[in-house]
Amino acid sequence: MDKRKYFFTSESVGEGHPDKLCDQVSDAILDACIKDDPQSRVACETFASTSLVLVGGEITTKTFVDFQQVVRDVAEDIGYTDPSYGLDCHSMAVLDMIHSQSPDISQGVSGTGLEQYKGQQGAGDQGMMFGFACNETPELMPLPISLAHQILIRATEMRKKKTIPWLRPDAKSQVTVEYEGHRPIRVDAVVVSHQHDPGVAYKDIEAGIIEQLIKPVLEPTGLLDNKTKYYINPTGRFVVGGPFGDTGLTGRKIIVDTYGGMGRHGGGAFSGKDPTKVDRSAAYAARHVAKNVVAAKLAERCEVELAYAIGVPFPVSVMVDTYGTAVVPEQQIEQAVIDIFDLSPAGIITALNLRRPIYRKTASYGHFGRSEFPWECTEKVADLNKAIKG
């Protein structure tokens, strides 16, 4: 195995980042629809700017959803409660531009399209989706994105508890890890840009973020050293942020949502899409497969690609790549995956129990590596090992 040394960097963004605000609104609307009508078809997009949130897209549901209230509740929960932030949950404008799903798409998903697929649930679109897992962390995620998320999770907790009273909602982090082969050996650099109240001295911001946010997360890894570099609010000031500082849009943080760039992404965003959209559900299934392969110790790293065609009730291709770390031929792992996992659109929804309101929680700090989600379960380990030995 190649033992060369190299650096790999991943970023995360906080729940108050303008794009993440939009992801959370889109997924909160999805949750509100499927809570009372699990068969809801939802493709919701959100745009945010100064004092404005606009929701649009296609929704077909039998339930009533108060879109205005959902949007305002999300903004309030994040912390956009002060007009000086440029977005205030109580006074902002909320525009609703939602309409129903195209009947041409609907017939393919519902199994009323081409004769050979009658009665079978087809994929909601064409495309390819990737899942990834590696043995760098207990949750089988790449270390750089895992650490970047953890820093901002801690920042959010301390902001909402007012432990650091000058923190505002918008935030970004970035962690660079030095590797030897596939093994992390040290943290080389950490970047945190966190919105703050005016009038706070830069030295206090720098010291507070390093000592209270970064080190409590990174020191337990044992990977910090005296050469680790810290870049805190590198412009020197970050008062104007959120949708006031930059517009937000659903689906613009897809690498933050997945593996931080380690492992490929099919291109489709997740938030605001119901599970008939394979952009989302098949990406979850691919992660489920990859994590089970690594958890079964069949490989140290695993990437899974699935591909679908609109209206077709099964994947058109399945690929497993272990980066040369497999303990058996990859073709054996691939065949075991095909035999054990139902990767049809309907099968994924059933196996992962996706027709329930779990989605807003996915919309910040990553969709993967968090034990509360069903695609993180490793219940197929025994089946995989049995299939390989058989």
Side-chain angles (χ1 to χ4, degrees):
M1 185 183 293
D2 182 12
K3 292 292 186 179
R4 76 180 182 92
K5 290 184 178 181
Y6 60 93
F7 298 93
F8 196 91
T9 303
S10 295
E11 74 156 344
S12 180
V13 299
E15 64 181 44
H17 185 280
D19 295 329
K20 275 290 143 208
L21 163 69
C22 293
D23 286 343
Q24 290 170 89
V25 167
S26 293
D27 272 340
I29 288 173
L30 168 61
D31 281 348
C33 291
I34 64 176
K35 178 178 180 290
D36 295 321
D37 179 9
Q39 302 299 319
S40 294
R41 300 279 175 80
V42 179
C44 179
E45 309 290 345
T46 303
F47 168 86
S49 188
T50 305
S51 301
L52 167 70
V53 176
L54 182 152
V55 292
E58 303 81 44
I59 295 180
T60 301
T61 184
K62 295 177 181 177
T63 192
F64 169 76
V65 175
D66 186 341
F67 297 118
Q68 283 261 348
Q69 194 59 51
V70 170
V71 174
R72 294 185 192 281
D73 287 346
V74 171
E76 182 175 23
D77 183 58
I78 291 170
Y80 284 110
T81 56
D82 188 328
S84 70
Y85 294 174
L87 189 77
D88 170 36
C89 62
H90 304 294
S91 61
M92 66 189 187
V94 179
L95 303 183
D96 172 7
M97 301 294 290
I98 289 171
H99 58 89
S100 60
Q101 185 183 52
S102 159
D104 296 341
I105 296 174
S106 180
Q107 71 176 14
V109 177
S110 303
T112 58
L114 294 178
E115 187 62 37
Q116 63 264 43
Y117 305 134
K118 288 285 188 191
Q120 302 177 74
Q121 179 181 321
D125 202 352
Q126 70 175 44
M128 68 285 190
M129 299 82 208
F130 290 91
F132 181 81
C134 60
N135 63 359
E136 294 176 20
T137 63
E139 61 271 20
L140 305 185
M141 285 287 287
L143 184 63
I145 188 67
S146 180
L147 295 178
H149 285 324
Q150 289 176 47
I151 289 169
L152 292 185
I153 290 169
R154 181 172 175 84
T156 297
E157 291 172 352
M158 299 193 82
R159 171 174 62 86
K160 290 186 172 180
K161 292 177 180 177
K162 300 191 182 301
T163 306
I164 304 180
W166 40 262
L167 293 178
R168 288 187 173 187
D170 197 356
K172 302 176 80 171
S173 68
Q174 187 170 284
V175 176
T176 300
V177 174
E178 184 176 1
Y179 282 80
E180 185 178 278
H182 293 320
R183 183 172 67 91
I185 58 175
R186 57 182 293 272
V187 172
D188 184 68
V190 184
V191 183
V192 174
S193 294
H194 207 302
Q195 188 185 14
H196 58 86
D197 289 341
V200 185
Y202 176 77
K203 63 180 179 60
D204 294 331
I205 294 170
E206 182 181 40
I209 288 175
I210 292 173
E211 298 301 327
Q212 297 186 69
L213 300 185
I214 296 174
K215 287 187 175 180
V217 170
L218 299 191
E219 282 181 338
T221 69
L223 298 177
L224 291 181
D225 59 28
N226 58 10
K227 293 183 179 179
T228 302
K229 299 175 284 291
Y230 301 95
Y231 302 94
I232 309 303
N233 285 12
T235 68
R237 178 180 168 88
F238 188 9
V239 172
V240 176
F244 188 29
D246 192 7
T247 55
L249 193 65
T250 300
R252 283 205 296 204
K253 287 291 177 280
I254 58 175
I255 303 304
V256 172
D257 285 343
T258 54
Y259 310 102
M262 192 178 292
R264 286 173 282 193
H265 193 294
F270 301 156
S271 290
K273 297 178 180 177
D274 75 77
T276 67
K277 278 73 170 175
V278 284
D279 273 344
R280 181 171 217 159
S281 55
Y284 292 170
R287 162 65 178 172
H288 187 222
V289 172
K291 186 172 183 181
N292 274 268
V293 168
V294 175
K297 301 189 185 305
L298 298 175
E300 294 178 10
R301 301 164 77 81
C302 181
E303 183 175 73
V304 174
E305 185 198 29
L306 307 175
Y308 295 83
I310 189 168
V312 177
F314 48 80
V316 299
S317 74
V318 178
M319 182 277 292
V320 174
D321 182 1
T322 64
Y323 302 85
T325 68
V327 298
V328 296
E330 284 179 342
Q331 293 93 328
Q332 280 187 254
I333 299 175
E334 204 167 84
Q335 189 57 56
V337 165
I338 292 168
D339 292 343
I340 290 167
F341 293 87
D342 184 349
L343 298 172
S344 66
I348 292 168
I349 290 171
T350 299
L352 299 181
N353 194 14
L354 297 181
R355 292 194 187 276
R356 54 199 176 100
I358 59 173
Y359 295 104
R360 169 146 182 229
K361 289 189 293 184
T362 69
S364 51
Y365 313 118
H367 293 243
F368 305 123
R370 299 161 62 187
S371 60
E372 66 261 42
F373 301 132
W375 47 91
E376 295 296 317
C377 294
T378 54
E379 81 288 359
K380 299 294 187 181
V381 164
D383 292 337
L384 283 168
N385 280 316
K386 182 179 179 181
I388 294 298
K389 290 175 182 176

